[in-house]
Amino acid sequence: MTATTTGLPARVAEGASGDRAGRRDLRAAASRVLLANWTGASTVPSHTLYPHQWSWDSAFIAVGLARLSPRRAQRELETLLGAQWDDGRIPHIVFNPAVPHEAYFPSPDFWRSSTAGAAHGAPSDIETSGIVQPPVHALAAWLVHESDPETSGRRGFLERVYPRLTAWHGYLHSNRDLGGHGLASVLHPWEPGMDNSPCWDLPLERVDPAPATTFRRADLTHGDAADRPTDLDYGRYVRLATDYRDRGYTDAGTRHAFVVEDPGFNAFLIASEHALAAIALTLGQDPGPHRRRARALTTALVARLWHAEAGLFLCHDLRTDTPIAEKSVTGLLPLLVPDLPAPVVRALLRTASGEHFGLGSTTALAPSYDLRGHSFDSSRYWRGPAWFNINWAVERGLRQHGALTRADDLRQTILATSGASGFAEYVDPRTGRARGTTDFSWTAAVVLDLLARTEEPGEGADR
């Protein structure tokens, strides 16, 4: 594999897992990224491209921060949860009032959360967006606790976050089961996190784009247009967000142009329900409701979104009540679910290393989209590049289901590629070439977590 370097020491770029000095230097470099991106109460993904707090970014960041400063990791999540709406939703952006509006679009004056979201209990003193992102937060909170149970217990961390995380899941189970099949639905391509995935192309065709004159793309100031969504796609994103805002951010009882059941979003929800069960048990509360929800979600996930002929979980368009045939890495994320049927797990493992994703054979890291797909693009946002947080999740899923050697190989590749790319936002899945911005927070964060787990007992491969 070839990869670009950005002035990092060679042994950092290599991330040599067998070399203690290389691991130390990689850890130091990743730590510097998180320290530089810390704002005092939370961490920005990137000071240039993403200068506010993002929901699922903060969850991954907290997991890595826990290896650097458990107190700071706890504060990361608590700051995010401090912007939670009364209906339980955790908004996908919490805006920093010190950042000029022109630095990012859509800015607070677009979302108007404190007024447009008032009926659903949006904070009056904090501006946020009105949509959500994948529910990784309870899993992150549990991993933060596990990294230093003593500090967590002394500070009452779990006691403080547990009610908020339970309310967040309650919102998803009640307000977002728009199909009535027991799965959470997403209402905007930004909500499942894989913003520009080809999975959304067909559902977006029925959305009339907002005129280009009505929005300003601050992302192109700091990012290469070849790496970013097209103006047409962006216009459709703006239209969907505008319509949702103008309906007061109401979920049920209104018609949405984009309504999709996404397997990755629901896999994170299941993993986080299991985490809530562990948190409840630690706090002396009943874990039963969370375990029952996790089982029900798992049953619904397999029944609704598993497609044996594809060897993959597929997204489902609720507007047309049809599966979306595009093969995305979101369909591999149910490896995070511990109780999948064995035939499903075996098929997912074959698909991960097969011709569509090539993990461990033709690709260094799992691509975000089908290598053989008609829309594959190795550089454009979520249409092919590999993302480090997603590969962290895949690594975790492989390990959970006993594919230990493959998990070890992926872990080492994540470490090597992250250092070589300058902690890139995402990379070409075949070459490791950096795309997007560099010094990206969740890339550095998952590196810190993987390095720490490399040294923990029981994490080695089945050699």
Side-chain angles (χ1 to χ4, degrees), residues 121-355:
S124 60
D125 57 342
I126 303 172
E127 292 296 330
T128 74
S129 65
I131 62 174
V132 301
Q133 280 190 318
V136 197
H137 312 88
L139 174 60
W142 177 245
L143 294 178
V144 167
H145 168 78
E146 278 194 314
S147 71
D148 190 343
E150 183 178 346
T151 298
S152 173
R154 188 173 62 251
R155 298 190 68 246
F157 170 63
L158 292 182
E159 288 90 342
R160 286 197 301 278
V161 301
Y162 176 68
R164 290 185 173 273
L165 293 169
T166 300
W168 165 224
H169 285 207
Y171 165 80
L172 294 173
H173 291 302
S174 58
N175 294 43
R176 287 302 189 93
D177 183 10
L178 298 177
H181 304 288
L183 296 177
S185 305
V186 294
L187 301 177
H188 194 289
W190 291 339
E191 291 199 320
M194 302 182 187
D195 308 16
N196 198 35
S197 170
C199 291
W200 318 139
D201 290 355
L202 278 177
L204 283 174
E205 283 185 359
R206 58 177 170 258
V207 178
D208 293 328
T213 56
T214 64
F215 59 88
R216 167 189 41 81
R217 293 194 60 180
D219 62 318
L220 298 184
T221 303
H222 304 289
D224 188 336
D227 292 352
R228 306 292 299 171
T230 65
D231 284 345
L232 176 61
D233 284 333
Y234 215 87
R236 286 168 168 156
Y237 304 154
V238 172
R239 172 69 69 192
L240 287 169
T242 301
D243 289 348
Y244 191 37
R245 179 199 67 200
D246 291 348
R247 293 177 182 131
Y249 298 115
T250 298
D251 299 315
T254 186
R255 186 170 177 81
H256 301 279
F258 182 100
V259 195
V260 172
E261 292 170 340
D262 177 80
F265 191 98
N266 283 280
F268 281 125
L269 181 56
I270 296 168
S272 281
E273 279 293 349
H274 283 289
L276 280 183
I279 292 171
L281 198 61
T282 300
L283 296 177
Q285 300 193 36
D286 181 11
H290 302 298
R291 291 173 176 165
R292 288 191 290 274
R293 277 183 169 177
R295 286 196 297 270
L297 279 163
T298 301
T299 299
L301 179 73
V302 174
R304 287 282 293 170
L305 305 185
W306 173 247
H307 292 266
E309 69 283 1
L312 197 66
F313 288 85
L314 299 179
C315 298
H316 194 93
D317 186 346
L318 286 176
R319 282 292 304 274
T320 59
D321 195 23
T322 56
I324 298 171
E326 304 289 356
K327 295 179 172 67
S328 161
V329 74
T330 193
L332 295 178
L333 290 180
L335 284 168
L336 286 167
V337 176
D339 301 321
L340 285 181
V344 172
V345 173
R346 290 194 294 270
L348 284 176
L349 295 177
R350 288 194 298 271
T351 299
S353 59
E355 61 180 355

Side-chain angles (χ1 to χ4, degrees), residues 26-27 30-35 38 43 56-74 76-77 136 139-145 147-148 389 392 396 440-453 456:
L26 183 60
R27 183 180 294 108
S31 299
R32 284 194 294 272
V33 171
L34 291 188
L35 293 173
W38 174 254
T43 310
W56 76 324
D57 289 74
S58 276
F60 291 110
I61 289 164
V63 171
L65 271 179
R67 307 299 190 168
L68 182 62
S69 169
R71 288 176 64 94
R72 189 171 286 188
Q74 293 168 26
E76 182 79 37
L77 291 173
V136 197
L139 174 60
W142 177 245
L143 294 178
V144 167
H145 168 78
S147 71
D148 190 343
N389 66 321
W392 174 90
R396 192 173 185 85
F440 200 69
S441 288
W442 74 23
T443 303
V446 301
V447 164
L448 289 174
D449 180 63
L450 292 176
L451 284 171
R453 288 203 281 122
E456 290 175 356

Side-chain angles (χ1 to χ4, degrees), residues 55-125:
S55 170
W56 76 324
D57 289 74
S58 276
F60 291 110
I61 289 164
V63 171
L65 271 179
R67 307 299 190 168
L68 182 62
S69 169
R71 288 176 64 94
R72 189 171 286 188
Q74 293 168 26
R75 190 172 184 189
E76 182 79 37
L77 291 173
E78 289 171 333
T79 298
L80 179 69
L81 292 170
Q84 187 173 24
W85 293 24
D86 288 349
D87 66 1
R89 85 180 74 194
I90 297 175
H92 99 295
I93 303 175
V94 180
F95 289 104
N96 181 349
V99 174
H101 283 190
E102 61 269 19
Y104 181 81
F105 180 84
S107 52
D109 56 346
F110 171 87
W111 294 103
R112 306 172 205 161
S113 63
S114 58
T115 54
H120 302 291
S124 60
D125 57 342

Side-chain angles (χ1 to χ4, degrees), residues 45-46 48-50 222 422-426 434-440:
S46 160
T48 55
L49 201 53
Y50 308 101
H222 304 289
F423 303 101
E425 183 181 2
Y426 47 96
R435 312 300 306 192
T437 190
T438 53
D439 291 335
F440 200 69

